[in-house]
Amino acid sequence: MRVFGIFEVSASALEAQRQRMNVIASNMANVHSTRTEEGGPYRRKDVVFSALPLTADPGVLEGVKVVDIAADSTPLRTVYDPGHPDADKDGNVSMPNVNVLEEMVNMMMAYRAYEASVSAFSMSKTMFLKTLELGR
Amino acid sequence: MGNGFQILERLLQATKIRHGVIVSNIANADTPDYKAKDVKFEQLLTGEIMNLRRTSPRHIAAYEAGPSGSVTAETTNHWEDRNNVELDMEVAKMTENSLLYQAAIHLLSTNMRMFKNALRRQT
């Protein structure tokens, strides 16, 4: 078993949750973006997590990694706004399928998971330092 | 003489493995299809510590169990994404396990100090 494997697990979780936070921030920033480089309104993105085994023995140490940042395929919101430059003939505008409330909840969940991994990390550190005191 | 050391060594190994398993659970709290795992401690420890003579066949035998065979996935009901990690439970388990680890370290240090003392008094 790798000596610092436990720290790798926590670090991978911190990185994954931070990436998730970035995606959530992008979603919230683009809640009204009707134009994107790919064309059309912005579609909300979601991170996809996958467990990443770090030991040959399965299930003992498993980190986490972001395997994909997928676009949400739920339908776009249609808003009646004839004055908008991207409005169609009937005055309807397609708005991004971002729900701010949903993003807020996701953000809180990511934050909690991040916090838990930070405390896991510091607890591992305490245990390691305690081991170094052995025999003193 | 060395028995106390052996017991504590086993305990340290067991708690260390369990810590890794719990940290993995916390890391994968939001991973779809991930199942929370745990180490069955009693199995791990009774394997070698309880080397007791049995005077009755109804006594429970000390059975052998290696650390590799003791990591089990929990089968409790799960969230929408088929993940069954409960973050608060895992943090509680982690704290408890860490205290056990530190207690073992403390006892091991005390053991060592006792032997050191004994050696010093010999002259």
Side-chain angles (χ1 to χ4, degrees), chain A:
Chain A
M1 186 189 272
R2 272 183 282 180
V3 183
F4 296 111
I6 289 169
F7 294 109
E8 273 177 55
V9 172
S10 291
S12 74
L14 293 179
E15 196 190 326
Q17 295 296 346
R18 196 174 38 75
Q19 233 169 312
R20 183 181 179 194
M21 204 65 119
N22 289 345
V23 169
I24 294 168
S26 308
N27 286 344
M28 285 174 89
N30 286 294
V31 68
H32 289 124
S33 302
T34 51
R35 294 175 196 179
T36 52
E37 279 182 18
E38 308 94 66
Y42 178 86
R43 280 186 176 275
R44 79 172 278 273
K45 309 277 189 300
D46 225 339
V47 288
V48 182
F49 288 163
S50 167
L52 171 72
L54 291 175
T55 45
D57 200 5
V60 178
L61 279 185
E62 281 178 294
V64 60
K65 65 176 175 186
V66 175
V67 282
D68 193 16
I69 296 179
D72 191 332
S73 60
T74 51
L76 299 165
R77 275 184 301 138
T78 310
V79 177
Y80 180 70
D81 184 4
H84 198 284
D86 290 324
D88 61 12
K89 289 196 296 293
D90 305 322
N92 288 326
V93 187
S94 285
M95 284 292 193
N97 52 356
V98 178
N99 180 348
V100 180
L101 202 65
E102 195 187 327
E103 300 304 325
M104 286 298 286
V105 172
N106 267 332
M107 192 168 75
M108 276 159 68
M109 279 168 65
Y111 181 62
R112 292 281 172 256
Y114 191 91
E115 245 182 342
S117 279
V118 169
S119 60
F121 192 96
S122 52
M123 193 146 277
S124 310
K125 199 184 82 179
T126 312
M127 282 166 71
F128 260 77
L129 290 176
K130 205 80 191 165
T131 316
L132 291 178
E133 282 175 23
L134 196 60
R136 268 191 205 162

Side-chain angles (χ1 to χ4, degrees), chain A residues 9 12-13 16-17 20 47-53 62-67 109 113 117, chain B residues 23-37 78-85 87:
Chain A
V9 172
S12 74
Q17 295 296 346
R20 183 181 179 194
V47 288
V48 182
F49 288 163
S50 167
L52 171 72
E62 281 178 294
V64 60
K65 65 176 175 186
V66 175
V67 282
M109 279 168 65
S117 279
Chain B
V23 169
S24 303
N25 286 345
I26 292 175
N28 285 291
D30 290 316
T31 308
D33 289 313
Y34 182 86
K35 295 281 180 279
K37 300 183 184 64
H78 43 66
W79 311 112
E80 260 175 68
D81 56 356
R82 298 167 306 281
N83 177 317
N84 63 356
V85 178
L87 207 52

Side-chain angles (χ1 to χ4, degrees), chain B residues 89-107:
Chain B
M89 285 298 292
E90 298 300 332
V91 173
K93 270 199 278 183
M94 181 177 71
T95 312
E96 182 199 328
N97 188 60
S98 162
L99 286 175
L100 192 57
Y101 183 87
Q102 293 183 33
I105 294 273
H106 183 78
L107 286 172

Side-chain angles (χ1 to χ4, degrees), chain B residues 8-61:
Chain B
L8 290 169
E9 195 192 318
R10 293 292 286 178
L11 184 55
L12 281 180
Q13 271 176 1
T15 41
K16 193 192 167 212
I17 292 172
R18 186 161 189 239
H19 183 71
V21 170
I22 296 170
V23 169
S24 303
N25 286 345
I26 292 175
N28 285 291
D30 290 316
T31 308
D33 289 313
Y34 182 86
K35 295 281 180 279
K37 300 183 184 64
D38 205 353
V39 177
K40 291 283 165 261
F41 252 32
E42 286 74 22
Q43 286 183 9
L44 201 82
L45 291 173
T46 47
E48 296 206 348
I49 290 172
M50 295 298 185
N51 196 12
L52 303 172
R53 189 147 36 103
R54 284 186 294 156
T55 51
S56 159
R58 291 171 67 197
H59 287 166
I60 298 164

